[in-house]
Structure formats: structure tokens, C-alpha cells
């Protein structure tokens, strides 16, 4: 299954009893796939029973194949955050600092808009151990903002911490004051935010 190897390897690392069995790995792959979808749709409060149901396995198999619900969610969300950190790394290598920042911001906000669980992990204490990934993500955002400041393309009065908060604010609920958000509302919000952050010539 694509996109699950890092999380699967995290769950199986150091477990010699499960590693040699191909069927065990297949079950873990199914659980990781199901957990990633369930976390995106439901959030970090999704139950082990719901993940097992989506994976097509019994709850007994669930607990034989993964150490705990929390360990499974941590592996899945760590994988998602690692992917976002890679996106930030590519953005840092962009010779155009503003283009790099906007490409990262678009990918970051799109992922937050698509995943309730990622929003949970980034926005509140959720009882999961994700600090190593969060620390690396904070560092990447700080560096991206620093590059944009040095190039004079980002408003100098906006520190990197503010950029992190305004990007988090781009995703909205589906309704406000009786209005319903369109599927691309986050894109419109992001465009407005980025226009406000961009350092106009002579500002």
C-alpha cells in the first residue's frame, strides 16, 4: 500500500515477533491506511473499534498488531507531519523565497483543511507524543519566514510566530453568519492572507 511504509515501520520497529510474518505486516498496513483515513475524517478521538472496522479486522487483531490506539495514531500523524516537513524543506531550497513560502503555505493549509486529526494534533493537547515532529516543523516555518524577510518579500513587522497563527486561521468551519463555505474557501482565505503578508514595493 502506498504512503504507509514509514508508519508501518514505526509500529513494527523492534518487534521481532511480528516482523517475519508477511500477514502481520499486511494487517498493520491495513490498520495504518484505515487509521489515516479515520483520523482525517473523525479526528484523534476516533476509537480503536472504528479503525478496526474500517480496516476489516477484529478488535483482537487490532491489539495483536499494534501496541495501542495511541501508538497507531502517533505513527500515522508523525508520518503526515514528516511529509509536511519534507515539503517545507523543498520550499526552503526554492531560489524565490516568496514562491517557496507560498508553496509551503498552500500545501500546509490544504492538508489542515483535509484532516481533522492533523488540526487536532496541531491545535490542541491531544495526548499524543508528536513533539519531535512539531519542533522540526516550527523550525522549518521559522527558516522559511526568515528567508522571506531577508529577501524583503515578507512584511518586516510580521514575526514567524504570527505566520504560523495566521496560516492556522485560514481553515474555517463550513458555516458562518448563515453562509455556507465552498469547497475552495480555504484557497480564497489563503490568497487574502498571503496578499496581506506580502511586502509591497515601497511599503
Amino acid at each position: 500500500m502506498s504512503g504507509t511504509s514509514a508508519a508501518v515501520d514505526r509500529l513494527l520497529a523492534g518487534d521481532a515477533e511480528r516482523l517475519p510474518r508477511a500477514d502481520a505486516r499486511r494487517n498493520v498496513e491495513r490498520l495504518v491506511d484505515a487509521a489515516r483515513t479515520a483520523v482525517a475524517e473523525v479526528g484523534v478521538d476516533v476509537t480503536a473499534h472504528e479503525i478496526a472496522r474500517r480496516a476489516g479486522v477484529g478488535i483482537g487483531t487490532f491489539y495483536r498488531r499494534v501496541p495501542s490506539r495511541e501508538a497507531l495514531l502517533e505513527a500515522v500523524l508523525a508520518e503526515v507531519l514528516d511529509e509536511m516537513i519534507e515539503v517545507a524543506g523543498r520550499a526552503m531550497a526554492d531560489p524565490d523565497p516568496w514562491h517557496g513560502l507560498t508553496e509551503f503555505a498552500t500545501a500546509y493549509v490544504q492538508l489542515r483543511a483535509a484532516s481533522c486529526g492533523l488540526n487536532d494534533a496541531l491545535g490542541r493537547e491531544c495526548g499524543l507524543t508528536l513533539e519531535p515532529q512539531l519542533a522540526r516543523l516550527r523550525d522549518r516555518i521559522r527558516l522559511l519566514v526568515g528567508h522571506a524577510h531577508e529577501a524583503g518579500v515578507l512584511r518586516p513587522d510580521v514575526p514567524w510566530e504570527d505566520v504560523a497563527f495566521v496560516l492556522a486561521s485560514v481553515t474555517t468551519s463550513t458555516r458562518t453568519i448563515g453562509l455556507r463555505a465552498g469547497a475552495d474557501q480555504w484557497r480564497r482565505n489563503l490568497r487574502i492572507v498571503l496578499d496581506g503578508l506580502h511586502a509591497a514595493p515601497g511599503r
Side-chain angles (χ1 to χ4, degrees):
M1 298 178 185
S2 61
T4 62
S5 60
V8 171
D9 289 344
R10 277 191 179 94
L11 290 164
L12 293 177
D15 194 333
E17 183 179 342
R18 282 201 296 263
L19 277 173
R21 295 182 52 189
D23 64 325
R25 185 175 182 93
R26 282 193 297 271
N27 279 333
V28 175
E29 288 173 346
R30 292 166 69 181
L31 287 166
V32 166
D33 257 5
R36 184 157 178 162
T37 303
V39 165
E41 294 175 359
V42 179
V44 296
D45 295 325
V46 64
T47 66
H49 283 84
E50 174 63 13
I51 296 170
R53 183 190 67 79
R54 289 173 180 245
V57 303
I59 194 65
T61 298
F62 179 99
Y63 283 111
R64 282 195 301 273
R65 297 299 172 234
V66 298
S68 65
R69 183 191 73 94
E70 291 75 16
L72 175 58
L73 297 187
E74 285 173 6
V76 166
L77 286 168
E79 181 178 68
V80 174
L81 289 170
D82 283 344
E83 292 167 3
M84 187 49 54
I85 291 164
E86 288 181 13
V87 171
R90 291 194 295 272
M92 288 169 56
D94 194 314
D96 181 338
W98 181 251
H99 182 263
L101 179 61
T102 57
E103 287 292 294
F104 167 77
T106 301
Y108 178 71
V109 174
Q110 182 175 22
L111 190 56
R112 290 192 68 139
S115 176
C116 294
L118 183 61
N119 262 331
D120 290 342
L122 295 176
R124 66 180 176 89
E125 294 294 330
C126 58
L128 302 177
T129 305
L130 296 166
E131 182 53 31
Q133 286 76 23
L134 295 176
R136 290 200 296 275
L137 183 57
R138 287 194 297 270
D139 187 57
R140 297 299 190 279
I141 294 174
R142 179 181 60 80
L143 290 173
L144 279 169
V145 171
H147 289 170
H149 276 149
E150 290 170 8
V153 294
L154 180 69
R155 286 174 47 176
D157 60 322
V158 180
W160 75 267
E161 296 93 340
D162 285 355
V163 173
F165 276 107
V166 296
L167 291 182
S169 73
V170 168
T171 54
T172 63
S173 60
T174 56
R175 286 182 176 274
T176 184
I177 61 168
L179 302 173
R180 179 179 288 277
D184 67 340
Q185 187 64 50
W186 68 268
R187 292 185 184 275
R188 298 168 62 83
N189 295 352
L190 179 60
R191 186 166 62 248
I192 294 167
V193 165
L194 290 175
D195 283 348
L197 292 175
H198 201 185
R203 174 175 289 174

